[in-house]
Amino acid sequence: MAAQKINEAHDHIAKAEKCLKTSMTKWKPDYDGAASEMAKAGDEYRCKVTAYEQAGMMLKDMKKMPEAIQLIEKASIMYVENGTSGTAGIALDRAGKLIEPIDLEKAVDLYQKAASVFENEDRLREAAELLGKASRLLVRLRRLDEAAVSLQKEKNMYKEIENYPTCFKKTIAQVLVHLHRGDFVAADKCVRESYSLPGFSGSEDCVSMETLLAAFDEQDEDGVSRVCNSPLLKYMDNDYAKLAISLKVPGGGGGKKKKPPVAPQGDSAGPPPAEEDDDYEGGLC
């Protein structure tokens, strides 16, 4: 009897794969038919949920990524309805990873949805990690206003679970994003608010950001460059490291460099530079 059931399940899976294939006379895959056949292979509702995800993975293997993501999203909704939100979040995260190489915008959407699912379950560590993925992609897409909001939400979650060292790193990311947005006040506010975090004041992260903000405010190009090319910033996640090395102070020509010291007057300073000859000295005649 068990062997018969296994064979029946294999038959349904084969029919599902056939539903997903296209031909000269069948231009569109039959997603619902595939899901229905997969559902018949096991317990009705739970297998139907899994069916959509498995069908999505089949489409992924067939290089039909948008269609695959559509089915995985549908599966995630059904997981939530079935009371297995954690599985929904994992499915959305997986979908985000699949689509990220070809569609950053959709990946951001999927990571944000996954984060929301975990947040509703009070699983803040997972939610914060997924928001982190979304924040980095928003920076890559130059959607910096949205990146700033996402980073603040991340930071609040890490603060709530008392992961303070990660909060420090999020503060650095916030400063870089706000300075690229041209909002010095918001960047400064992020650092000031972080003084309430245990261990931040006087830390390497704190001193680095104070130095960066001071140099930026003074339009000290060399000072900004020193901080932005320091190991602390250069070895951040790649998207934030790129923000650091591309940061320029405001003003013409990308800011100003500090003036070299003026040599003291006297014998040691050497003779004053010779004046250029004036071809017309004393008039034209």
Side-chain angles (χ1 to χ4, degrees), residues 15-36 52 55-56 58-60 62-68 70-71 74:
K15 289 178 181 178
E17 291 174 344
K18 187 176 180 180
C19 287
L20 293 172
K21 291 180 179 178
T22 57
S23 66
M24 293 293 292
T25 57
K26 181 188 172 191
W27 293 1
K28 294 178 65 177
D30 181 5
Y31 302 139
D32 289 333
S36 176
Y52 279 112
M58 289 179 193
L59 285 168
K60 185 265 294 186
M62 296 164 67
K63 309 300 182 185
K64 296 184 177 180
M65 202 62 72
E67 296 91 339
Q70 183 181 355
L71 285 186
K74 193 168 185 178

Side-chain angles (χ1 to χ4, degrees), residues 115-134:
S116 180
V117 167
F118 282 119
E119 184 180 8
N120 290 337
E121 293 288 301
D122 288 327
R123 294 171 62 175
L124 296 186
R125 183 182 62 79
E126 290 95 333
E129 288 175 354
L130 285 157
L131 276 179
K133 294 181 180 182

Side-chain angles (χ1 to χ4, degrees), residues 208-281:
S208 178
M209 290 302 95
E210 289 172 339
T211 304
L212 175 61
L213 289 173
F216 197 86
D217 191 38
E218 295 168 4
Q219 297 192 345
D220 175 5
E221 188 178 80
D222 288 339
V224 168
S225 179
R226 276 194 300 273
V227 175
C228 289
N229 284 282
S230 67
L232 181 66
L233 274 67
K234 283 178 68 175
Y235 297 117
M236 292 181 72
D237 287 318
N238 195 43
D239 293 298
Y240 298 123
K242 287 181 177 179
L243 283 185
I245 61 176
S246 63
L247 184 63
K248 303 295 181 185
V249 298
K256 64 181 181 181
K257 296 187 178 181
K258 282 196 169 181
K259 295 179 180 178
V262 178
Q265 296 297 319
D267 294 338
S268 61
E275 294 183 1
E276 292 183 4
D277 292 337
D278 186 353
D279 293 337
Y280 301 103
E281 185 177 4

Side-chain angles (χ1 to χ4, degrees), residues 7-267:
N7 289 333
E8 288 176 0
H10 287 165
D11 288 340
H12 286 303
I13 291 170
K15 289 178 181 178
E17 291 174 344
K18 187 176 180 180
C19 287
L20 293 172
K21 291 180 179 178
T22 57
S23 66
M24 293 293 292
T25 57
K26 181 188 172 191
W27 293 1
K28 294 178 65 177
D30 181 5
Y31 302 139
D32 289 333
S36 176
E37 290 296 337
M38 292 293 287
K40 291 174 185 177
D43 296 327
E44 240 347 276
Y45 188 79
R46 292 189 64 182
C47 187
K48 186 175 181 181
V49 180
T50 306
Y52 279 112
E53 189 173 0
Q54 288 182 345
M57 297 309 289
M58 289 179 193
L59 285 168
K60 185 265 294 186
D61 293 337
M62 296 164 67
K63 309 300 182 185
K64 296 184 177 180
M65 202 62 72
E67 296 91 339
I69 299 305
Q70 183 181 355
L71 285 186
I72 295 173
E73 281 192 273
K74 193 168 185 178
S76 72
I77 293 171
M78 297 176 74
Y79 279 131
V80 173
E81 291 173 350
N82 196 37
T84 53
S85 296
T87 308
I90 292 169
L92 289 167
D93 181 23
R94 185 182 300 126
K97 291 174 184 174
L98 290 175
I99 201 71
E100 185 176 325
I102 59 174
D103 190 343
L104 293 181
E105 301 271 0
K106 185 60 181 176
V108 167
D109 176 60
L110 290 166
Y111 289 141
Q112 289 174 333
K113 286 178 178 175
S116 180
V117 167
F118 282 119
E119 184 180 8
N120 290 337
E121 293 288 301
D122 288 327
R123 294 171 62 175
L124 296 186
R125 183 182 62 79
E126 290 95 333
E129 288 175 354
L130 285 157
L131 276 179
K133 294 181 180 182
S135 298
R136 290 192 292 274
L137 295 188
L138 286 168
V139 167
R140 199 178 306 172
L141 289 163
R142 302 303 294 181
R143 289 162 56 181
L144 297 183
D145 289 353
E146 294 169 75
V149 173
S150 185
L151 278 165
Q152 185 62 54
K153 193 168 184 179
E154 267 188 85
K155 186 174 170 181
N156 290 342
M157 287 182 180
Y158 282 116
K159 182 179 179 181
E160 192 166 340
I161 62 177
E162 299 183 350
N163 186 339
Y164 300 123
T166 302
C167 290
F168 302 171
K169 303 306 178 189
K170 298 305 170 184
T171 299
I172 295 176
Q174 285 181 303
V175 169
L176 292 170
V177 167
H178 284 308
L179 290 180
H180 271 275
R181 290 177 60 243
D183 194 341
F184 180 88
V185 173
D188 186 62
K189 182 180 178 183
C190 289
V191 175
R192 292 182 183 277
E193 287 179 345
S194 295
Y195 288 140
S196 64
L197 298 171
F200 180 73
S201 184
S203 67
E204 181 185 11
D205 306 85
C206 175
V207 172
S208 178
M209 290 302 95
E210 289 172 339
T211 304
L212 175 61
L213 289 173
F216 197 86
D217 191 38
E218 295 168 4
Q219 297 192 345
D220 175 5
E221 188 178 80
D222 288 339
V224 168
S225 179
R226 276 194 300 273
V227 175
C228 289
N229 284 282
S230 67
L232 181 66
L233 274 67
K234 283 178 68 175
Y235 297 117
M236 292 181 72
D237 287 318
N238 195 43
D239 293 298
Y240 298 123
K242 287 181 177 179
L243 283 185
I245 61 176
S246 63
L247 184 63
K248 303 295 181 185
V249 298
K256 64 181 181 181
K257 296 187 178 181
K258 282 196 169 181
K259 295 179 180 178
V262 178
Q265 296 297 319
D267 294 338

